[in-house]
Each structure stands twice: as C-alpha cells, then as structure tokens.
Amino acid sequence: MKRIWIWALFSGAFAVACTEFAVVGLLPQIARDLEVSEAAAGQLVTLNAVAFAISAPVLAAVCHRMDRRKVLFGALTVFALGHLTAGLAPNYPVLLGSRILSGAMMGLYLATAIGAAARLGGEEKRASSIATIQAGVNTATALGVPISTLLGHQMGWRVPMLVIGAMALLSLGFIAVALPPTGADDGPPLKVRLRAIRTAPVLVGLTAITLFWGATFTVYTYLVPLLEQRAGLDSTMVIVVLVIAGVCAVVGNVIGGRGADTDSRKTLLITSAITSVALLAVLPMSTNAVQTIALVVVWQLAAWSFVPAVQAALFQAAGEGGELAVSFAVSAFNIGIVAGAGFGGIALDQAGLPGVAVLGAALSLLALGFVVLLVRYVSRRNLVGSNAE
C-alpha cells in the first residue's frame, strides 16, 4: 500500500493518454456530423500532438515552482473541461480548440507525473516508477483507443469524449487521496535548470530519444500494410498482432523499468541494440507470417523497455535539471512519432514498404550511436560522483 500513489499517477496517465488517438477511429463520424472533410478532421490528431509536444517542456518550466499536486489537479481539471467541451462542441472550430487544450494538458500532466514519480520513487525505484507512468500511456493506446472507437460506433463520437473527461476526474480523486504531499519543486532556479539541460549529455540524450522513436514509428505507423502485403496476414490476424504489440508495449515498460533500476546503462544499451537489430531484420524477415509476428514481439518488447531506461538515464545526466529534462524527453518522444510517421510516409511514396523498412533501420543505427554516447556521459558522471565521495 505504500506505493499506491504510483497507481494513482498511472490512472491519470491512462486517462489523459486516451485523448491522443481516441478520434482516429471516429474521424469519418466527426467529419459527417460537423460537415468538414476527413482531411480537416485529421487535424484533430495532428494539432493535439503538436500541443502536447510544445506544452510538456514549456508548461512544466512555467509551473516548476508550483506544488506538484496542484499542478496535477489543475491539469486534470482543465483536461476534463476540454473533453466536456469536445463532447458538446457545436462546430469544428470549438472541437479543434478543445483538442489543442487537451493535448496541452496531457503534456503538462505527463511531464509533472513522471517528474514526481522520479522524485518519490527514489534512486533505487526511479526507472520502474517512470515505467509505471509510461505504462499508463501504453495501456491507453493498447486498450483505451479500441474501446473508445467501439463506444463511438455504438453511441456516437461525442460519448467517448465525455467518458475520457469523466475518467480524468476520477483519477483526480484517486490522486487527491493517494498521492503524498510533494510540495513545490525546491530545486535550483529555472535559469540554472535550463543551463543544465543545454549540456552535451542531455542534448545527446534528447537526440537519441527523437531518433530512436522516429525509427520505431517510421515502421510502426505502416505496420498494418506491412503485415497484410508482405507477411500475407488477413484482417483478423492483423488485429491479433496489433493487440499483441500493445501487450508487449506494457510488458516492455515493466521489464525496462526493473532492468534500469538494477543497471540503467546496461539496460539502455541492450534494449536499443535489440531494437536496432529487429528493425534491420524487418525487410528480410517480413515475408513470412510466423517470422514477422515473432519479430514484432521482440521489437516491441525491446523498444518499450528502452523508454523508462533512457528517461532514468536522462534524469541522472541532467543533474539539477532532471525534472525539466524529463519534460523535454516527453516532448522528444512525441516529436519522434510525428517525424517518423511523416518521413515514413515519404519513404512509402518513393520506395514502397521496403523503403520504409530501410529508413527505419538506418535511423535506428544512428540512434544507437547517440545512445552509446549517452551511456558514456552517464558513466563518466557516476565516476566523478564516486570520486567526489
């Protein structure tokens, strides 16, 4: 029961993360109801992601002197109001505005929750605490999105919007009961933190995250056509593989968090190396159904194990700017998703699915080089700390 607070933060992460892709399966309904094109409706996803990427570091920096509980409460309250507005939106501009607002609050909540988990978990449980928050995001993607799509098809697209807002309020109540007093961030001034995150180790770490996640989502964005066209899977098996991938994402977070608690540098190197090997194997192995499914399992387990490990390493590398660095990491992951999907689309147009696989593999190798640099910086920092003691 001592760590029930982590599950309270998990519940909030699940609630806010449901917003990111919740409208993907509902775009045709929304377009018809609000009399806009599906391309315009698609901007509900894009601008939500942009707001998320910008807000995570910016709002976290603005709110860094506020009590963390109050920041979490405020983010969830405004998020819920945004979803209430979305569920009642009379037109497209109002809905679009609510999506931008919910994306911004998602960024603020996750940055604050991850930072709080890193502090409350202590050095021994830092990575697994971060992994639990990230698992809330993964669970929302794996389970929340399909459920919201099904609910929308049965009861209309507005109902999932209202349900997500209600979940945020329930999470707020859970956090109010379970989260211990955290107080304000009593660390150094913002100027000092910004100076800390402009150091080479942090910049290398953020670059590694962006490239690594860009590589992963270059391929993952186009996983369905890859499964259908190259591996020859039917639509039912494609759904099964996507569910398996979602489960592997959740399990991978747990594995990566526990591994990083034991040895963050080794976990970081192993998970990034396995992911690179998996992406290099996509092109030669994706012509066989069994091989492809096995590859997806290994790839997703390794890729998602990387997430808590790199965040813990970045927190450590940033020193006094640890929490602010984690907020930039949240943004870097999202930038990687957007960039990976975009460049993957260009590769698909120019060279088909083989081009997507080659680009993903090339980016993963480049990311691996930056991961090695980050590990060296963290090792050097640990050595300096040991000598100082």
Side-chain angles (χ1 to χ4, degrees):
M1 292 294 290
K2 289 182 178 180
R3 281 175 58 82
I4 192 173
W5 58 266
I6 194 66
W7 297 108
L9 294 176
F10 169 95
S11 70
F14 177 85
V16 299
C18 281
T19 195
E20 190 165 20
F21 300 113
V23 302
V24 170
L26 306 173
L27 290 181
Q29 283 189 49
I30 294 172
R32 286 195 303 270
D33 187 35
L34 299 182
E35 299 180 345
V36 296
S37 67
E38 288 195 22
Q43 296 305 307
L44 297 171
V45 179
T46 303
L47 292 181
N48 179 272
V50 171
F52 170 83
I54 294 173
S55 70
V58 173
L59 292 182
V62 170
C63 300
H64 79 287
R65 287 301 191 196
M66 296 176 62
D67 184 287
R68 293 186 187 93
R69 283 167 57 94
K70 291 181 180 179
V71 175
L72 293 170
F73 293 165
L76 288 174
T77 300
V78 176
F79 178 89
L81 289 174
H83 268 270
L84 174 63
T85 303
L88 303 175
N91 52 47
Y92 176 76
V94 172
L95 179 59
L96 183 62
S98 72
R99 291 289 295 165
I100 293 172
L101 184 63
S102 64
M105 292 303 102
M106 177 185 175
L108 176 60
Y109 177 86
L110 290 179
T112 306
I114 290 172
R119 293 289 183 187
L120 290 172
E123 190 171 346
E124 291 183 356
K125 295 288 185 180
R126 179 175 296 152
S128 57
S129 297
I130 291 173
T132 303
I133 308 303
Q134 187 63 49
V137 178
N138 300 346
T139 307
T141 303
L143 303 177
V145 173
I147 291 172
S148 68
T149 301
L150 179 62
L151 188 63
H153 286 168
Q154 295 295 322
M155 304 179 69
W157 66 267
R158 296 177 184 274
V159 173
M161 299 296 104
L162 297 173
V163 169
I164 292 171
M167 287 195 303
L169 291 178
L170 289 173
S171 298
L172 191 157
F174 190 6
I175 291 171
V177 171
L179 188 68
T182 56
D185 187 345
D186 57 359
L190 182 59
K191 184 182 296 186
V192 176
R193 297 164 190 256
L194 289 172
R195 189 161 58 242
I197 66 169
R198 289 199 300 267
T199 59
V202 176
L203 294 177
V204 165
L206 293 174
T207 303
I209 290 171
T210 304
L211 287 171
F212 186 91
W213 225 228
T216 292
F217 274 84
T218 293
V219 180
Y220 188 79
T221 303
Y222 304 97
L223 182 59
V224 170
L226 190 146
L227 293 172
E228 291 176 340
Q229 297 172 28
R230 286 185 62 83
L233 299 181
D234 59 28
S235 57
T236 301
M237 280 305 300
V238 167
I239 293 172
V240 170
V241 173
L242 292 177
V243 171
I244 290 172
V247 172
C248 287
V250 176
V251 173
N253 257 283
V254 175
I255 294 172
R258 291 180 178 177
D261 281 341
T262 303
D263 191 330
S264 62
R265 288 167 288 174
K266 183 184 292 185
T267 302
L268 195 52
L269 286 172
I270 291 173
T271 56
S272 57
I274 292 175
T275 303
S276 293
V277 171
L279 289 173
L280 285 166
V282 166
L283 194 58
M285 290 185 64
S286 60
T287 55
N288 176 281
V290 175
Q291 289 179 174
T292 303
I293 294 171
L295 185 64
V296 169
V297 169
V298 173
W299 167 33
Q300 290 298 291
L301 283 172
W304 287 98
S305 295
F306 168 88
V307 175
V310 74
Q311 287 178 315
L314 192 64
F315 187 96
Q316 186 176 4
E320 295 176 322
E323 290 192 31
L324 191 56
V326 168
S327 71
F328 274 90
V330 170
S331 183
F333 278 114
N334 210 57
I335 292 170
I337 292 173
V338 174
F343 287 114
I346 295 173
L348 185 66
D349 288 340
Q350 298 296 318
L353 289 171
V356 172
V358 169
L359 178 60
L363 288 174
S364 73
L365 290 176
L366 185 59
L368 183 58
F370 279 93
V371 169
V372 171
L373 281 176
L374 175 61
V375 169
R376 290 182 63 184
Y377 278 124
V378 173
S379 299
R380 193 178 304 163
R381 183 180 181 86
N382 288 347
L383 182 61
V384 171
S386 298
N387 292 337
E389 292 175 3

